Coordinates of all heavy atoms in Angstrom, one line a residue:
K1 N -9.9 0.6 -19.7 CA -9.2 1.0 -18.4 C -8.3 -0.1 -18.0 O -8.7 -1.3 -18.0 CB -10.2 1.4 -17.4 CG -9.6 1.9 -16.1 CD -10.8 2.4 -15.2 CE -10.3 2.5 -13.8 NZ -11.3 2.9 -12.8
V2 N -7.1 0.2 -17.5 CA -6.2 -0.8 -17.0 C -5.9 -0.4 -15.5 O -5.6 0.7 -15.2 CB -4.9 -0.9 -17.8 CG1 -3.9 -1.8 -17.2 CG2 -5.2 -1.2 -19.2
S3 N -6.0 -1.4 -14.6 CA -5.8 -1.1 -13.2 C -5.1 -2.3 -12.6 O -5.1 -3.4 -13.1 CB -7.0 -0.7 -12.5 OG -7.9 -1.8 -12.5
G4 N -4.6 -2.1 -11.4 CA -4.0 -3.2 -10.6 C -3.1 -2.7 -9.5 O -3.1 -1.6 -9.2
G5 N -2.3 -3.7 -9.0 CA -1.4 -3.3 -8.0 C 0.0 -3.8 -8.4 O 0.1 -4.8 -9.1
I6 N 1.0 -3.2 -7.8 CA 2.4 -3.7 -8.0 C 3.1 -3.9 -6.7 O 3.1 -3.0 -5.9 CB 3.2 -2.7 -8.9 CG1 2.5 -2.5 -10.3 CG2 4.6 -3.2 -9.2 CD1 3.1 -1.5 -11.2
T7 N 3.7 -5.1 -6.5 CA 4.4 -5.4 -5.3 C 5.8 -5.8 -5.5 O 6.1 -6.2 -6.6 CB 3.6 -6.5 -4.5 OG1 3.6 -7.6 -5.3 CG2 2.2 -6.1 -4.1
E8 N 6.6 -5.7 -4.5 CA 8.0 -6.2 -4.5 C 8.2 -6.9 -3.1 O 7.9 -6.3 -2.1 CB 9.0 -5.1 -4.7 CG 10.4 -5.7 -4.7 CD 11.5 -4.7 -4.6 OE1 11.3 -3.6 -4.4 OE2 12.7 -5.2 -4.7
G9 N 8.5 -8.2 -3.2 CA 8.7 -8.9 -1.9 C 7.5 -9.0 -1.1 O 7.5 -9.0 0.2
G10 N 6.3 -9.0 -1.7 CA 5.0 -9.1 -1.0 C 4.5 -7.8 -0.5 O 3.5 -7.8 0.2
K11 N 5.2 -6.7 -0.7 CA 4.8 -5.4 -0.2 C 4.5 -4.4 -1.3 O 5.3 -4.5 -2.3 CB 5.9 -4.8 0.7 CG 6.1 -5.6 2.0 CD 7.2 -4.9 2.8 CE 7.4 -5.8 4.0 NZ 8.7 -5.6 4.6
P12 N 3.6 -3.5 -1.2 CA 3.3 -2.6 -2.3 C 4.5 -1.7 -2.5 O 5.2 -1.3 -1.5 CB 2.1 -1.7 -1.7 CG 1.6 -2.5 -0.6 CD 2.6 -3.4 -0.1
I13 N 4.8 -1.3 -3.8 CA 5.9 -0.4 -4.0 C 5.5 1.0 -3.6 O 4.3 1.3 -3.3 CB 6.3 -0.5 -5.5 CG1 5.2 0.0 -6.5 CG2 6.8 -1.9 -5.9 CD1 5.7 0.2 -7.9
A14 N 6.4 1.9 -3.5 CA 6.3 3.2 -2.9 C 5.3 4.1 -3.7 O 5.2 4.1 -4.9 CB 7.6 3.9 -2.9
K15 N 4.5 4.8 -2.9 CA 3.5 5.8 -3.4 C 4.4 6.8 -4.2 O 5.5 7.2 -3.9 CB 2.8 6.5 -2.3 CG 1.9 7.6 -2.7 CD 1.3 8.3 -1.5 CE 0.4 9.5 -2.0 NZ -0.1 10.2 -0.9
G16 N 3.8 7.2 -5.4 CA 4.5 8.2 -6.2 C 5.3 7.6 -7.3 O 5.9 8.3 -8.2
T17 N 5.5 6.3 -7.3 CA 6.3 5.6 -8.3 C 5.6 5.8 -9.7 O 4.4 5.6 -9.7 CB 6.5 4.1 -8.1 OG1 7.1 3.9 -6.8 CG2 7.2 3.4 -9.2
K18 N 6.3 6.3 -10.7 CA 5.7 6.6 -12.0 C 5.4 5.4 -12.8 O 6.3 4.6 -13.0 CB 6.6 7.7 -12.7 CG 5.9 8.3 -13.9 CD 6.7 9.4 -14.5 CE 6.0 9.9 -15.8 NZ 6.9 10.0 -16.9
I19 N 4.3 5.4 -13.4 CA 3.9 4.3 -14.4 C 3.5 5.0 -15.7 O 2.8 6.0 -15.8 CB 2.6 3.6 -13.9 CG1 2.7 3.1 -12.4 CG2 2.1 2.5 -14.8 CD1 3.5 1.9 -12.3
D20 N 4.1 4.4 -16.8 CA 3.8 4.8 -18.1 C 3.1 3.7 -18.9 O 3.6 2.5 -18.8 CB 5.0 5.2 -18.9 CG 5.7 6.4 -18.3 OD1 5.0 7.4 -17.9 OD2 7.0 6.4 -18.2
L21 N 2.0 4.0 -19.6 CA 1.3 3.0 -20.4 C 1.4 3.5 -21.8 O 0.8 4.5 -22.2 CB -0.1 2.8 -19.9 CG -0.9 1.7 -20.6 CD1 -0.3 0.3 -20.3 CD2 -2.3 1.7 -20.3
T22 N 2.1 2.8 -22.7 CA 2.2 3.1 -24.1 C 1.4 2.2 -25.0 O 1.6 1.0 -24.9 CB 3.7 3.1 -24.6 OG1 4.4 4.0 -23.7 CG2 3.8 3.6 -26.0
C23 N 0.4 2.8 -25.7 CA -0.4 2.0 -26.6 C -0.3 2.6 -28.0 O -0.8 3.7 -28.2 CB -1.9 2.0 -26.2 SG -2.1 1.5 -24.5
G24 N 0.5 2.0 -28.9 CA 0.7 2.7 -30.2 C 1.5 3.9 -30.0 O 2.5 4.0 -29.3
A25 N 1.0 5.0 -30.5 CA 1.7 6.3 -30.4 C 1.3 7.1 -29.2 O 1.8 8.2 -28.9 CB 1.4 7.2 -31.7
S26 N 0.4 6.6 -28.4 CA -0.2 7.3 -27.2 C 0.5 6.7 -26.0 O 0.5 5.5 -25.7 CB -1.7 7.0 -27.2 OG -2.2 7.4 -26.0
T27 N 0.9 7.7 -25.1 CA 1.5 7.3 -23.8 C 0.7 8.0 -22.7 O 0.5 9.3 -22.8 CB 3.0 7.6 -23.7 OG1 3.7 6.9 -24.7 CG2 3.5 7.2 -22.3
K28 N 0.2 7.3 -21.7 CA -0.4 7.9 -20.5 C 0.4 7.6 -19.3 O 1.1 6.5 -19.3 CB -1.8 7.3 -20.4 CG -2.7 7.3 -21.6 CD -3.9 8.1 -21.4 CE -4.7 8.1 -22.7 NZ -5.8 8.9 -22.7
S29 N 0.4 8.5 -18.4 CA 1.2 8.3 -17.2 C 0.3 8.5 -15.9 O -0.6 9.2 -15.9 CB 2.4 9.3 -17.1 OG 3.2 9.1 -18.2
T30 N 0.7 7.8 -14.9 CA 0.1 8.0 -13.6 C 1.1 7.6 -12.5 O 2.3 7.3 -12.8 CB -1.2 7.1 -13.4 OG1 -1.9 7.5 -12.3 CG2 -0.8 5.6 -13.3
E31 N 0.7 7.7 -11.2 CA 1.6 7.3 -10.1 C 0.9 6.3 -9.2 O -0.3 6.3 -9.1 CB 1.9 8.6 -9.3 CG 2.8 9.6 -10.0 CD 3.2 10.8 -9.2 OE1 2.7 10.9 -8.1 OE2 4.1 11.5 -9.6
I32 N 1.7 5.5 -8.6 CA 1.2 4.5 -7.7 C 0.6 5.2 -6.5 O 1.2 6.2 -6.0 CB 2.4 3.6 -7.2 CG1 2.9 2.7 -8.4 CG2 2.0 2.7 -6.0 CD1 2.0 1.6 -8.8
D33 N -0.5 4.7 -6.0 CA -1.1 5.4 -4.8 C -0.6 4.7 -3.5 O 0.3 3.9 -3.5 CB -2.7 5.3 -4.9 CG -3.2 3.9 -4.7 OD1 -2.5 3.0 -4.2 OD2 -4.4 3.7 -5.0
E34 N -1.1 5.2 -2.4 CA -0.6 4.7 -1.1 C -0.8 3.2 -0.8 O -0.2 2.6 0.1 CB -1.2 5.5 0.1 CG -2.7 5.4 0.3 CD -3.5 6.4 -0.5 OE1 -2.9 7.0 -1.4 OE2 -4.7 6.5 -0.2
H35 N -1.6 2.5 -1.7 CA -1.9 1.1 -1.5 C -1.1 0.3 -2.5 O -1.3 -0.9 -2.6 CB -3.4 0.8 -1.7 CG -4.2 1.6 -0.7 ND1 -4.2 1.5 0.6 CD2 -5.1 2.7 -1.0 CE1 -5.1 2.4 1.2 NE2 -5.6 3.1 0.2
G36 N -0.2 0.9 -3.3 CA 0.5 0.2 -4.3 C -0.3 0.0 -5.6 O 0.1 -0.9 -6.4
A37 N -1.4 0.7 -5.8 CA -2.3 0.5 -6.9 C -2.1 1.6 -8.0 O -1.7 2.7 -7.7 CB -3.7 0.4 -6.4
Y38 N -2.6 1.3 -9.2 CA -2.6 2.2 -10.3 C -3.9 2.0 -11.1 O -4.5 1.0 -11.0 CB -1.3 2.0 -11.2 CG -1.4 0.7 -11.9 CD1 -1.9 0.7 -13.2 CD2 -0.9 -0.4 -11.4 CE1 -2.0 -0.5 -13.9 CE2 -0.9 -1.6 -12.0 CZ -1.5 -1.7 -13.3 OH -1.6 -2.9 -14.0
S39 N -4.2 3.0 -11.9 CA -5.4 2.9 -12.8 C -5.2 3.9 -13.9 O -4.8 5.1 -13.7 CB -6.6 3.3 -12.0 OG -7.7 3.2 -12.8
L40 N -5.3 3.5 -15.1 CA -5.2 4.3 -16.3 C -6.2 4.0 -17.3 O -6.6 2.8 -17.5 CB -3.8 4.0 -17.0 CG -2.5 4.5 -16.3 CD1 -1.4 3.7 -16.8 CD2 -2.4 6.0 -16.7
V41 N -6.7 5.0 -18.0 CA -7.7 4.8 -19.1 C -6.8 4.5 -20.4 O -5.9 5.3 -20.7 CB -8.5 6.0 -19.3 CG1 -9.4 5.9 -20.6 CG2 -9.4 6.3 -18.1
A42 N -7.1 3.4 -21.0 CA -6.2 3.1 -22.2 C -7.1 2.7 -23.4 O -8.2 2.1 -23.2 CB -5.3 1.9 -21.8
P43 N -6.6 2.9 -24.6 CA -7.4 2.4 -25.8 C -7.3 0.9 -25.8 O -6.4 0.3 -25.2 CB -6.7 3.1 -26.9 CG -5.3 3.4 -26.4 CD -5.4 3.6 -25.0
E44 N -8.2 0.3 -26.6 CA -8.1 -1.2 -26.7 C -6.9 -1.5 -27.6 O -6.6 -0.8 -28.5 CB -9.4 -1.7 -27.4 CG -10.6 -1.6 -26.5 CD -11.9 -2.2 -27.2 OE1 -11.8 -3.3 -27.8 OE2 -12.9 -1.5 -27.2
G45 N -6.3 -2.7 -27.2 CA -5.2 -3.2 -28.0 C -4.0 -3.5 -27.1 O -4.1 -3.6 -25.9
K46 N -2.9 -3.8 -27.8 CA -1.7 -4.2 -27.1 C -1.0 -2.9 -26.6 O -0.9 -1.9 -27.3 CB -0.8 -4.9 -28.1 CG -1.3 -6.2 -28.5 CD -0.3 -7.3 -28.4 CE -0.9 -8.7 -28.8 NZ -1.6 -9.4 -27.8
C47 N -0.5 -3.0 -25.4 CA 0.1 -1.9 -24.8 C 1.4 -2.3 -24.0 O 1.5 -3.5 -23.7 CB -0.8 -1.2 -23.8 SG -2.3 -0.6 -24.5
T48 N 2.2 -1.4 -23.6 CA 3.4 -1.7 -22.8 C 3.3 -0.9 -21.5 O 3.2 0.4 -21.6 CB 4.7 -1.4 -23.5 OG1 4.8 -2.1 -24.7 CG2 5.9 -1.7 -22.7
L49 N 3.3 -1.5 -20.4 CA 3.3 -0.8 -19.1 C 4.7 -0.8 -18.6 O 5.4 -1.8 -18.5 CB 2.3 -1.6 -18.1 CG 2.1 -0.9 -16.8 CD1 0.7 -1.0 -16.4 CD2 3.0 -1.5 -15.7
K50 N 5.2 0.4 -18.2 CA 6.5 0.6 -17.8 C 6.5 1.2 -16.4 O 5.8 2.1 -16.1 CB 7.3 1.5 -18.8 CG 8.8 1.7 -18.5 CD 9.5 2.3 -19.6 CE 9.1 3.8 -19.7 NZ 9.8 4.5 -20.7
V51 N 7.3 0.6 -15.5 CA 7.4 1.1 -14.1 C 8.8 1.8 -14.0 O 9.8 1.2 -14.2 CB 7.3 0.0 -13.1 CG1 7.4 0.5 -11.7 CG2 6.0 -0.8 -13.3
N52 N 8.8 3.1 -13.6 CA 10.1 3.8 -13.3 C 10.5 3.5 -11.9 O 9.9 4.2 -11.0 CB 9.9 5.3 -13.7 CG 9.6 5.5 -15.1 OD1 10.4 5.3 -16.0 ND2 8.3 5.7 -15.4
Y53 N 11.4 2.6 -11.7 CA 11.7 2.1 -10.3 C 13.2 2.0 -10.1 O 13.9 1.3 -10.8 CB 11.0 0.7 -10.2 CG 11.0 0.2 -8.7 CD1 10.2 0.8 -7.8 CD2 11.8 -0.9 -8.4 CE1 10.2 0.3 -6.5 CE2 11.8 -1.4 -7.1 CZ 10.9 -0.8 -6.1 OH 10.9 -1.3 -4.9
Q54 N 13.6 2.7 -9.1 CA 15.0 2.7 -8.6 C 16.0 2.8 -9.8 O 16.9 2.0 -9.9 CB 15.3 1.4 -7.8 CG 14.5 1.4 -6.5 CD 14.9 0.3 -5.6 OE1 15.7 -0.5 -5.9 NE2 14.3 0.3 -4.4
G55 N 15.8 3.8 -10.7 CA 16.7 4.1 -11.8 C 16.5 3.1 -13.0 O 17.2 3.2 -13.9
Q56 N 15.6 2.2 -12.9 CA 15.3 1.3 -14.0 C 13.9 1.5 -14.5 O 13.1 2.2 -13.9 CB 15.5 -0.2 -13.5 CG 16.9 -0.5 -13.0 CD 17.0 -1.9 -12.5 OE1 16.5 -2.8 -13.2 NE2 17.8 -2.1 -11.5
A57 N 13.6 0.8 -15.6 CA 12.3 0.9 -16.2 C 11.8 -0.4 -16.7 O 11.7 -0.6 -17.9 CB 12.2 2.0 -17.3
P58 N 11.6 -1.4 -15.8 CA 11.1 -2.7 -16.3 C 9.7 -2.5 -17.0 O 8.9 -1.7 -16.5 CB 11.0 -3.6 -15.0 CG 11.0 -2.6 -13.9 CD 11.7 -1.4 -14.4
S59 N 9.4 -3.3 -18.0 CA 8.1 -3.2 -18.7 C 7.4 -4.6 -18.8 O 8.0 -5.6 -18.6 CB 8.3 -2.6 -20.1 OG 9.1 -3.4 -20.8
F60 N 6.1 -4.5 -19.1 CA 5.3 -5.7 -19.2 C 4.3 -5.4 -20.3 O 3.7 -4.4 -20.4 CB 4.6 -5.9 -17.9 CG 3.9 -7.3 -17.8 CD1 4.6 -8.4 -17.5 CD2 2.5 -7.4 -18.0 CE1 3.9 -9.6 -17.4 CE2 1.9 -8.6 -18.0 CZ 2.6 -9.7 -17.7
E61 N 4.2 -6.4 -21.2 CA 3.2 -6.3 -22.3 C 1.8 -6.7 -21.8 O 1.6 -7.7 -21.2 CB 3.6 -7.2 -23.5 CG 4.9 -6.9 -24.1 CD 5.0 -5.6 -24.7 OE1 4.1 -5.2 -25.5 OE2 6.0 -4.9 -24.5
I62 N 0.8 -5.8 -22.1 CA -0.5 -6.0 -21.7 C -1.5 -5.9 -22.8 O -1.1 -5.3 -23.9 CB -1.0 -5.1 -20.5 CG1 -1.0 -3.7 -20.9 CG2 0.0 -5.3 -19.3 CD1 -1.7 -2.8 -19.9
T63 N -2.7 -6.4 -22.7 CA -3.7 -6.2 -23.7 C -4.9 -5.5 -23.0 O -5.4 -6.0 -22.0 CB -4.1 -7.5 -24.4 OG1 -3.0 -8.1 -24.9 CG2 -5.2 -7.2 -25.5
S64 N -5.3 -4.4 -23.6 CA -6.4 -3.6 -23.0 C -7.7 -3.9 -23.8 O -7.7 -4.0 -25.1 CB -6.1 -2.1 -23.1 OG -7.2 -1.3 -22.7
Y65 N -8.8 -4.1 -23.1 CA -10.1 -4.5 -23.8 C -11.1 -3.4 -23.3 O -10.8 -2.6 -22.5 CB -10.6 -5.8 -23.3 CG -9.7 -6.9 -23.6 CD1 -8.8 -7.5 -22.7 CD2 -9.6 -7.5 -24.9 CE1 -7.9 -8.5 -23.0 CE2 -8.8 -8.6 -25.2 CZ -7.9 -9.0 -24.3 OH -7.1 -10.1 -24.6
E66 N -12.3 -3.5 -23.9 CA -13.4 -2.6 -23.5 C -13.7 -3.0 -22.0 O -13.6 -4.1 -21.7 CB -14.6 -2.9 -24.4 CG -15.7 -1.9 -24.2 CD -16.9 -2.1 -25.1 OE1 -16.7 -2.7 -26.2 OE2 -17.9 -1.6 -24.7
G67 N -13.9 -2.0 -21.2 CA -14.2 -2.3 -19.8 C -12.8 -2.2 -19.1 O -11.9 -1.7 -19.6
T68 N -12.8 -2.8 -17.9 CA -11.6 -2.7 -17.0 C -10.8 -4.0 -17.1 O -11.4 -5.1 -16.9 CB -12.0 -2.4 -15.6 OG1 -12.6 -1.1 -15.5 CG2 -10.7 -2.3 -14.7
V69 N -9.5 -3.9 -17.2 CA -8.7 -5.1 -17.2 C -7.7 -5.0 -16.0 O -7.2 -3.9 -15.8 CB -7.8 -5.2 -18.5 CG1 -7.0 -6.5 -18.5 CG2 -8.6 -5.1 -19.7
Q70 N -7.7 -6.0 -15.2 CA -6.9 -6.0 -14.0 C -5.5 -6.7 -14.3 O -5.5 -7.8 -14.8 CB -7.6 -6.8 -12.9 CG -6.9 -6.9 -11.6 CD -7.3 -5.8 -10.7 OE1 -8.3 -5.1 -10.9 NE2 -6.6 -5.6 -9.6
Y71 N -4.4 -6.0 -14.0 CA -3.1 -6.5 -14.1 C -2.4 -6.3 -12.7 O -1.9 -5.2 -12.5 CB -2.3 -5.9 -15.2 CG -2.6 -6.4 -16.6 CD1 -3.5 -5.9 -17.4 CD2 -1.9 -7.5 -17.0 CE1 -3.8 -6.4 -18.6 CE2 -2.1 -8.1 -18.3 CZ -3.1 -7.5 -19.1 OH -3.3 -8.0 -20.3
D72 N -2.3 -7.3 -11.9 CA -1.6 -7.2 -10.7 C -0.2 -7.8 -11.0 O -0.1 -8.9 -11.4 CB -2.2 -8.1 -9.5 CG -3.5 -7.4 -9.1 OD1 -3.6 -6.2 -8.9 OD2 -4.5 -8.1 -8.9
L73 N 0.8 -7.0 -10.7 CA 2.2 -7.3 -11.1 C 3.1 -7.4 -10.0 O 2.9 -6.8 -8.9 CB 2.7 -6.3 -12.1 CG 1.8 -6.1 -13.4 CD1 2.3 -4.9 -14.2 CD2 1.8 -7.4 -14.2
I74 N 4.2 -8.2 -10.1 CA 5.2 -8.3 -9.1 C 6.6 -7.9 -9.7 O 6.9 -8.3 -10.8 CB 5.4 -9.8 -8.7 CG1 4.1 -10.3 -8.2 CG2 6.5 -10.0 -7.7 CD1 4.0 -11.8 -8.0
L75 N 7.3 -7.0 -9.0 CA 8.6 -6.6 -9.4 C 9.6 -7.6 -8.8 O 9.6 -7.8 -7.6 CB 9.0 -5.2 -8.8 CG 8.7 -4.0 -9.7 CD1 8.8 -2.8 -8.9 CD2 9.6 -4.0 -10.9
E76 N 10.4 -8.2 -9.6 CA 11.4 -9.2 -9.1 C 12.8 -8.7 -9.5 O 13.0 -8.4 -10.7 CB 11.2 -10.6 -9.7 CG 10.0 -11.3 -9.1 CD 9.9 -12.7 -9.6 OE1 10.6 -13.1 -10.5 OE2 9.0 -13.4 -9.0
K77 N 13.7 -8.7 -8.5 CA 15.1 -8.4 -8.8 C 15.8 -9.7 -9.3 O 15.8 -10.7 -8.7 CB 15.8 -7.9 -7.6 CG 17.1 -7.1 -7.9 CD 17.6 -6.4 -6.7 CE 18.5 -5.2 -7.1 NZ 18.9 -4.4 -6.0
Q78 N 16.4 -9.6 -10.5 CA 17.1 -10.7 -11.2 C 18.5 -10.8 -10.6 O 19.0 -9.9 -9.9 CB 17.1 -10.5 -12.7 CG 15.7 -10.2 -13.3 CD 14.8 -11.4 -13.1 OE1 15.0 -12.5 -13.6 NE2 13.6 -11.1 -12.4
A79 N 19.1 -11.9 -11.0 CA 20.5 -12.2 -10.5 C 21.5 -11.1 -11.0 O 22.4 -10.8 -10.3 CB 21.0 -13.5 -11.0
D80 N 21.2 -10.4 -12.1 CA 22.1 -9.4 -12.6 C 21.7 -8.0 -12.0 O 22.3 -7.0 -12.4 CB 22.0 -9.3 -14.2 CG 20.6 -9.0 -14.7 OD1 19.7 -8.7 -13.9 OD2 20.4 -9.0 -15.9
G81 N 20.8 -8.0 -11.0 CA 20.5 -6.7 -10.4 C 19.4 -5.9 -11.1 O 18.9 -4.9 -10.6
K82 N 18.9 -6.4 -12.3 CA 17.9 -5.7 -13.0 C 16.5 -6.2 -12.5 O 16.4 -7.4 -12.1 CB 18.0 -6.0 -14.5 CG 19.3 -5.3 -15.0 CD 19.2 -5.3 -16.5 CE 20.3 -4.4 -17.0 NZ 21.0 -4.7 -18.2
Y83 N 15.5 -5.3 -12.6 CA 14.2 -5.7 -12.2 C 13.4 -6.2 -13.4 O 13.6 -5.7 -14.5 CB 13.4 -4.5 -11.6 CG 13.8 -4.2 -10.2 CD1 14.8 -3.3 -9.8 CD2 13.2 -4.9 -9.1 CE1 15.1 -3.0 -8.5 CE2 13.6 -4.7 -7.8 CZ 14.5 -3.8 -7.5 OH 14.8 -3.6 -6.2
A84 N 12.5 -7.2 -13.1 CA 11.6 -7.7 -14.2 C 10.2 -7.6 -13.6 O 10.0 -7.8 -12.4 CB 12.0 -9.1 -14.5
L85 N 9.2 -7.4 -14.4 CA 7.8 -7.4 -14.0 C 7.2 -8.7 -14.5 O 7.4 -9.1 -15.6 CB 7.0 -6.2 -14.7 CG 7.0 -4.9 -14.1 CD1 6.4 -3.9 -15.0 CD2 6.3 -4.9 -12.8
K86 N 6.4 -9.3 -13.5 CA 5.7 -10.5 -13.8 C 4.3 -10.4 -13.3 O 4.0 -9.7 -12.4 CB 6.4 -11.7 -13.2 CG 7.8 -11.9 -13.6 CD 8.4 -13.1 -13.1 CE 9.8 -13.3 -13.8 NZ 10.6 -14.4 -13.2
R87 N 3.4 -11.1 -14.0 CA 2.0 -11.1 -13.6 C 1.8 -12.0 -12.3 O 2.4 -13.0 -12.2 CB 1.1 -11.6 -14.7 CG -0.4 -11.2 -14.4 CD -1.2 -11.2 -15.7 NE -2.5 -10.7 -15.4 CZ -3.4 -10.6 -16.3 NH1 -3.2 -11.0 -17.5 NH2 -4.6 -10.1 -16.0
K88 N 1.1 -11.5 -11.4 CA 0.9 -12.2 -10.1 C 0.1 -13.4 -10.4 O -0.8 -13.5 -11.2 CB 0.1 -11.3 -9.2 CG 0.2 -11.7 -7.7 CD -0.6 -10.8 -6.9 CE 0.3 -9.9 -6.0 NZ -0.4 -9.1 -5.1

C-alpha cells in the first residue's frame, strides 16, 4: 500500500485531483481526499505516481514494499511553468 499527502505552497491540493499509480503493466487510480491525502494498494516494486494537476501530469518514481509506504509529496511550479513532484 502506498499513501501520503500532496501539497502545493504548503496547502493540500484540491479534493478530487486524480492520482495514477503505474507498477509494470498495472495502473491503479484514486482521488485526493478533502485533506490532500491519497492511498492506493500497490504491488511490491518500482512504480510511477502521476498527479493530474491543472492540465499537467507531473510524476514521481516510488518503490512499494510489503506493508504501507508513506510518500508525502510537494508540487512545485518550475520557472518554465511546469509542475514537478518532490518528496517532502
Side-chain angles (χ1 to χ4, degrees):
K1 183 173 166 186
V2 177
S3 65
I6 301 176
T7 58
E8 181 194 7
K11 296 181 182 155
I13 63 171
K15 177 182 177 184
T17 300
K18 190 174 175 225
I19 306 288
D20 295 317
L21 185 68
T22 303
C23 306
S26 167
T27 299
K28 309 241 179 190
S29 298
T30 191
E31 291 183 350
I32 293 289
D33 70 14
E34 64 271 14
H35 306 292
Y38 68 92
S39 180
L40 285 160
V41 174
E44 288 183 49
K46 298 226 177 273
C47 303
T48 302
L49 186 138
K50 185 169 67 177
V51 180
N52 297 285
Y53 191 71
Q54 296 189 355
Q56 298 182 39
S59 63
F60 189 82
E61 298 298 314
I62 66 170
T63 303
S64 178
Y65 300 99
E66 189 177 338
T68 301
V69 185
Q70 181 93 10
Y71 278 93
D72 291 317
L73 302 172
I74 300 168
L75 268 168
E76 285 186 351
K77 197 168 202 175
Q78 307 297 299
D80 61 4
K82 294 193 168 146
Y83 281 98
L85 273 174
K86 298 187 175 173
R87 196 159 190 183
K88 199 183 247 183

